[in-house]
Amino acid sequence: MISRGVPRALCPKALAARPTLSCDELEFRMESKSLSYYRYTFKAMGSPCDIQLFADTQAKAKRVADAAIADVYRLEALYSRYRSDSFLSAINRVAATGGCITVDKETAGLLNYAATCYDQSDGLFDITSGILRRAWRFDLGRLPDQTQVQELLDKVGWHKLRWVPPVLEFPIPSMEVDFGGVVKEYAVDRAAALCWEAGIRHGVVNLGGDIKVIGPRADGSPWRVGIRHPRHKEAVMQTILLREGALASSGDYERCIKVDGVRYGHVLNPETGWPVRHLAAVSVVGDFCVVAGSASTIAMLKEDNGPAWLESLGLPHLWVDVDGKIGGTLADDEYLA
């Protein structure tokens, strides 16, 4: 069997004089001579993004990157809460009157995943909780009125909806759904899959810090991925090495206010309507970005139980609490750059 240029059966004899070089390393080195590095930057879903690829021609790299970027824009157009013509806005117009709507297969998949996250998080991961942002106006620099928070809480709760695929029904008027905690990570996974299907074997997709590795660099080396510190915008808290998998983070990086010396972030507990106060940021590595993203958010929502829950999950992770304490398996030498 021939694999990317070198018959594996020939490797032991061919490399007898160079025992430090493995068959896989030789394959990568031969392949890397014919591949060049290309990087494409763009902005989507409110974040700076980039796709980095190794390809044999610039034309192929651009064709693949353009297709992946187009799909990211497609998902943004479908599920943006800021666009009145998005399908999400159409869903929420139905929700406002307490009606029902039939959704397509892709949207049904997102709703099914959201339902699973709701169940596995004991109701903490709730795509109906986005309505709480009406009270939490971080641009105003002040705390919301508790009465307003409570009124909105009455409209929060995935269990209050009726979801019998493909029909989503809103028995209580004026509720909302928001795919903000799922769709960007889903877009990362799809973009990486499209690149793979187009023949790219070495690359990485990065949408605002949510990352999926298509494959290692062309020479077989891992990608160096920096995890930002939640309290220092330009500081990197940890740099890890990834040859495969995905990384996603959740935390009070940008949207937050400080009142009377207390910091209030944008990750809101759907049971209280108030920001979480124990963990400042969580990063998780998984096979898929959407899984890593939901796991990091659930850990934030679990407050002081978050670190133990992450341990039980078994996925590589890193967390920092509001006092600056750092923990998690991603601090181990196995992952460090």
Side-chain angles (χ1 to χ4, degrees):
M1 178 180 177
I2 296 178
S3 175
R4 285 181 295 187
V6 180
R8 289 184 179 276
L10 296 181
C11 284
K13 292 182 180 179
L15 302 180
R18 301 181 63 187
T20 59
L21 186 62
S22 72
C23 298
D24 286 342
E25 288 172 326
L26 180 59
E27 290 176 15
F28 277 127
R29 289 191 182 186
M30 292 183 68
E31 182 183 60
S32 65
K33 291 180 180 179
S34 63
L35 298 179
S36 298
Y37 169 82
Y38 303 95
R39 180 171 182 258
Y40 301 91
T41 61
F42 59 105
K43 186 171 182 179
M45 300 182 180
S47 303
C49 310
D50 67 76
I51 295 179
Q52 302 175 58
L53 307 173
F54 283 90
D56 50 4
T57 67
Q58 183 177 11
K60 179 177 180 179
K62 186 176 188 306
R63 183 174 68 252
V64 174
D66 284 349
I69 293 169
D71 196 65
V72 173
Y73 288 147
R74 178 186 69 85
L75 291 170
E76 182 174 30
L78 278 173
Y79 301 116
S80 172
R81 69 172 182 262
Y82 300 107
R83 296 180 55 152
S84 61
D85 62 344
S86 72
F87 186 52
L88 177 65
S89 292
I91 292 174
N92 285 330
R93 282 192 290 271
V94 172
T97 60
C100 62
I101 186 171
T102 299
V103 305
D104 59 276
K105 186 176 180 180
E106 186 170 44
T107 304
L110 293 174
L111 289 168
N112 285 336
Y113 185 76
T116 298
C117 290
Y118 179 82
D119 291 338
Q120 294 188 357
S121 66
D122 298 320
L124 291 174
F125 190 100
D126 192 332
I127 64 169
T128 71
S129 65
I131 197 171
L132 292 168
R133 68 179 176 275
R134 295 182 185 178
W136 287 93
R137 294 286 305 279
F138 293 98
D139 56 327
L140 298 180
R142 55 177 172 77
L143 298 179
D145 180 76
Q146 179 57 35
T147 301
Q148 183 186 14
V149 172
Q150 187 55 54
E151 289 175 352
L152 292 171
L153 280 175
D154 293 339
K155 299 178 178 63
V156 172
W158 171 261
H159 63 282
K160 297 176 183 177
L161 306 182
R162 292 197 186 104
W163 169 231
V164 182
V167 178
L168 181 63
E169 182 179 357
F170 297 87
I172 300 174
S174 301
M175 291 184 70
E176 285 186 10
V177 295
D178 186 344
F179 289 123
V182 177
V183 74
K184 182 154 71 79
E185 295 83 353
Y186 170 68
V188 173
D189 289 329
R190 272 197 53 89
L194 289 171
C195 292
W196 180 271
E197 290 167 5
I200 299 297
R201 295 295 178 264
H202 308 283
V204 63
V205 175
N206 174 14
L207 302 188
D210 292 327
I211 290 167
K212 178 75 167 78
V213 174
I214 302 164
R217 298 177 66 88
D219 62 359
S221 63
W223 296 91
R224 295 170 59 91
V225 180
I227 299 176
R228 230 178 78 195
H229 197 289
R231 294 293 186 267
H232 308 288
K233 187 174 182 179
E234 303 302 324
V236 175
M237 183 169 61
Q238 192 76 279
T239 300
I240 63 172
L241 303 176
L242 288 179
R243 285 185 173 85
E244 59 184 5
L247 171 77
S249 302
S250 181
D252 57 358
Y253 288 93
E254 302 291 350
R255 286 179 293 156
C256 63
I257 55 174
K258 185 175 280 190
V259 178
D260 297 330
V262 179
R263 186 185 179 100
Y264 298 87
H266 74 279
V267 181
L268 305 176
N269 186 314
E271 295 177 348
T272 66
W274 283 72
V276 296
R277 297 286 303 280
H278 183 75
L279 295 176
V282 176
S283 296
V284 176
V285 170
D287 290 337
F288 297 99
C289 194
V290 71
V291 173
S294 55
S296 62
T297 300
I298 291 170
M300 289 280 296
L301 291 165
K302 283 185 173 291
E303 302 265 7
D304 54 347
N305 293 322
W309 182 79
L310 286 167
E311 287 287 346
S312 70
L313 203 60
L315 294 176
H317 61 276
L318 184 74
W319 53 263
V320 55
D321 67 18
V322 294
D323 296 320
K325 181 181 177 181
I326 296 175
T329 54
L330 282 178
D332 296 343
D333 291 341
E334 176 185 358
Y335 297 99
L336 298 185

